Amino acid sequence: MEIPRHWRLKKQRYALVGEVCPHCEAKIFPPRDVCPECGDEAKTLFEFSGRGEVYSYTTLHNAPAGYQAYAPYTVALVKLEEGPMVTAQLTDIDNQPVEVGMPVEMVTRKLRAEGDDDRGMLVYGYKFRPMELQPLAAAD
Amino acid sequence: MDVVIAGIGQTSVGEHWHVSLRELAFQAIEAARVDAGGLLPQALFVGNMLAPKVSGQAHLGVLIADFAGLRGIEAYTIEAAGASGGAALRAGYLAVKSGFVDVALVVGVEKLTDKVGPEVESAIATSLDSDYEAVQGVTPLAQAAMIMRRYFYEYEVPQNALAGFPVTAHANGVGNSHAMFRKALKPGLYERVGMLSEPLNMFDAAPDADGAAAVLLTRAELIPPDASPTPVRIAGSSIATDTLSLHDRPDPLDFRAARISVGQACHQAGIVIGEMDFFELCDIYSVYAALSLEAAGLAERGQGWVLAEEGQISLKGRIPISTLGGVKARGNPWGATGVYQVVEAVQQLRGEAGVNQVPAAEKALVQCLGGPASTAVTHVLTAL
Ligand SMILES: [Zn+2]
């Protein structure tokens, strides 16, 4: 059980809260307090839109302990529209082939069951699903 | 002042169900000490990645020193994921180079078969960013698969572009009595084998295994002029790091740390990359072999696979790699891999590689990686 750790990370995990650098405007996720672009301090919170596109992906069959119940599952590197990339599972992709460049959006889902069985503390966090298509304007 | 490798030892790589971690390490140490004519080490550097998680055993320095009859000497573990063995060699090199230690013993050891399946997968995944990668159920294999897919996407290479890497490794494994796999791959098998994590197939990944390898380091002047076997010189040594997380890199197909550590090691040795007679690289995943060749400057970006396709990485090619089977065919005892690579390079430089001998091998580049070159350790070895 690692409850304090997951509680500490809940802002990042539930809402993609990162940082914006007050010096060079770089958007930072995960938060790291030092801007990777200019090296200055960056502690201003910034909430990402949750929209991005698939940079690469794969399907995992040999899952680590705690994730076997979900296998096979698809993981991806997602390039957020604000710039940074995140590692995340894809979800709700049953009827759709995944492709590099596919637009996706963030949702909050169960990531794993903490501990050796499902009675342990659950860990929730971001996953990404295919972006809902915008309804086309009626032609007539 | 030259630091030389005076002795080498290794166990076979595979499933050592009946041997404990300490016994495995001891076998390699004994072999290295016999090879070095009984040099007595004053310091022990252990390369290991997984013992605390898989065997419930930390504190390997004293465990192994005590068990190997070296009670009392300086001893501790160096951990840098899959680069632990190379990092331990670096520590031993620095100890001897500094003059504080006359003889250093470096042992890489990994004992995976104390656990099986998902438990091993999660132990290996602790080398990723726990908060932002591993929590998503990602493993090093999945990362490699994502890198491979992006490599194929960006460079538009043929579906079987990477086949030459496992084919070469397996061909070379046949002649290595310590290798886990000693059978050549049948032509056409690569294209038919099952997927592990699309597009990465069973031949694109090295098998996890138990194993231990050891080297003894000392100063050149402490070795008698007529010593046999001939010592091998560590001419260059470098470690570089990148971001821990793959997603934090501006270009995940650029193995930046590998590139930097090759540059530094070659510069220190005064040897340009084109002069290397062979390159023991990290072919844990075939796409990593391609990216390592590119990072070293032996191929243009997106062209590393062509060296394999054209046979230039085979024993008689322009730049032989994985000369005794590589990680792919010898097997991958994670934290020990970096020491195995050095042991094999020494075999080549001594002219003791048998049917796998690289002709006139005098200069070797040796590189191990932790994660997707999150850590890269590079050594240049030369025949004295
Ligand atoms: Zn900045």
Side-chain angles (χ1 to χ4, degrees):
Chain A
M1 298 283 273
E2 301 178 88
I3 290 172
R5 174 182 187 172
H6 294 303
W7 184 84
R8 170 166 50 78
L9 289 166
K10 71 183 165 60
K11 245 192 231 149
Q12 292 92 298
R13 293 250 182 85
Y14 289 8
L16 277 183
V17 175
E19 292 159 336
V20 57
C21 175
H23 311 285
C24 77
E25 303 287 302
K27 310 295 191 297
I28 305 162
F29 191 89
R32 49 171 66 225
D33 295 356
V34 175
C35 174
E37 299 298 326
C38 72
D40 275 334
E41 189 176 274
K43 290 185 171 175
T44 312
L45 294 183
F46 177 84
E47 186 168 340
F48 284 80
S49 67
R51 290 187 295 272
E53 62 173 51
V54 172
Y55 175 88
S56 192
Y57 66 96
T58 190
T59 303
L60 240 122
H61 301 274
N62 297 319
Y67 295 85
Q68 294 155 279
Y70 310 106
Y73 51 88
T74 299
V75 296
L77 293 166
V78 173
K79 180 95 173 147
L80 300 174
E81 64 180 14
E82 294 90 348
M85 193 134 68
V86 296
T87 299
Q89 283 189 29
L90 298 184
T91 188
D92 306 353
I93 51 173
D94 309 333
N95 301 314
Q96 198 168 345
V98 180
E99 295 180 344
V100 173
M102 185 175 89
V104 289
E105 62 189 359
M106 192 205 92
V107 289
T108 302
R109 294 288 161 82
K110 187 163 79 171
L111 290 179
R112 65 160 287 178
E114 188 70 56
D116 285 332
D117 58 54
D118 278 332
R119 290 169 300 174
M121 180 197 157
L122 301 177
V123 179
Y124 285 87
Y126 50 80
K127 292 188 183 182
F128 285 78
R129 68 178 177 200
M131 191 102 75
E132 298 284 331
L133 288 175
Q134 298 297 322
L136 293 170
D140 49 356
Chain B
M1 187 260 289
D2 282 336
V3 178
V4 296
I5 299 172
I8 56 173
Q10 59 184 321
T11 72
S12 63
V13 176
E15 293 173 334
H16 291 273
W17 298 102
H18 302 293
V19 182
S20 69
L21 183 137
R22 69 190 76 182
E23 290 164 337
L24 202 59
F26 181 56
Q27 288 176 13
I29 289 170
E30 276 293 272
R33 291 192 63 193
V34 168
D35 186 52
L39 278 179
L40 191 63
Q42 294 115 38
L44 166 66
F45 302 95
V46 181
N48 175 268
M49 170 178 168
L50 298 165
K53 281 143 303 206
V54 172
S55 308
Q57 179 70 62
H59 219 167
L60 298 189
V62 53
L63 173 84
I64 293 168
D66 184 11
F67 190 75
L70 298 166
R71 194 176 297 178
I73 69 168
E74 172 178 350
Y76 50 89
T77 304
I78 312 283
E79 189 277 316
S84 300
L89 179 72
R90 164 82 173 165
Y93 167 82
L94 291 176
V96 174
K97 187 83 176 169
S98 73
F100 281 108
V101 170
D102 288 338
V103 181
L105 172 61
V106 177
V107 64
V109 60
E110 208 66 77
K111 181 77 175 83
L112 283 157
T113 51
D114 281 349
K115 287 222 166 67
V116 288
E119 298 295 328
V120 173
E121 291 299 321
S122 54
I124 291 168
T126 60
S127 60
L128 307 183
D129 185 328
S130 169
D131 288 347
Y132 295 101
E133 292 180 322
V135 73
Q136 292 281 344
V138 172
T139 60
L141 179 93
Q143 270 191 331
M146 290 193 282
I147 289 174
M148 183 171 166
R149 187 184 300 280
R150 189 70 194 188
Y151 188 88
F152 279 52
Y153 174 83
E154 284 196 19
Y155 301 126
E156 298 178 334
V157 301
Q159 279 307 304
N160 64 350
L162 301 173
F165 292 108
V167 166
T168 304
H170 278 263
N172 294 347
V174 175
N176 179 4
S177 61
H178 294 96
M180 186 168 181
F181 290 141
R182 304 197 58 198
K183 266 179 84 171
L185 294 188
K186 291 200 184 76
L189 199 55
Y190 178 88
E191 288 78 2
R192 296 199 306 273
V193 77
M195 288 290 163
L196 283 179
S197 200
E198 298 85 346
L200 191 151
N201 76 29
M202 286 170 61
F203 290 141
D204 288 315
D208 298 340
D210 302 335
V215 295
L216 273 156
L217 310 179
T218 190
R219 295 200 298 278
E221 62 263 31
L222 296 180
I223 295 194
D226 57 344
S228 170
T230 330
V232 161
R233 177 169 166 254
I234 300 180
S237 171
S238 170
I239 298 187
T241 57
D242 201 330
T243 65
L244 173 61
S245 300
L246 186 60
H247 55 235
D248 280 337
R249 303 197 187 159
D251 180 357
L253 298 184
D254 177 15
F255 274 7
R256 182 172 175 274
R259 177 158 48 81
I260 289 169
S261 74
V262 166
Q264 288 175 344
C266 286
H267 178 76
Q268 185 191 345
I271 298 171
V272 298
I273 188 75
E275 291 181 282
M276 295 297 168
D277 295 311
F278 64 99
F279 182 13
E280 290 302 335
L281 50 66
C282 178
D283 59 341
I284 171 174
Y285 308 111
S286 45
V287 69
Y288 286 13
L291 292 175
S292 297
L293 287 166
E294 294 168 23
L298 288 159
E300 298 288 315
R301 297 284 307 273
Q303 297 289 306
W305 65 277
V306 177
L307 293 182
E309 170 93 351
E310 293 176 347
Q312 298 189 47
I313 58 166
S314 66
L315 292 174
K316 293 194 166 57
R318 179 164 70 85
I319 182 71
I321 69 167
S322 310
T323 66
L324 284 150
V327 187
K328 176 70 192 79
R330 177 229 303 123
N332 185 28
W334 291 80
T337 290
V339 185
Y340 270 97
Q341 291 176 307
V342 167
V343 165
E344 291 159 2
V346 169
Q347 289 178 293
Q348 288 287 0
L349 295 170
R350 286 179 180 176
E352 292 175 356
V355 294
N356 287 45
Q357 186 62 47
V358 172
E362 293 178 352
K363 302 180 183 73
L365 189 66
V366 186
Q367 182 176 70
C368 60
L369 304 179
S374 303
T375 299
V377 186
T378 309
H379 286 89
V380 174
L381 307 183
T382 59
L384 265 188

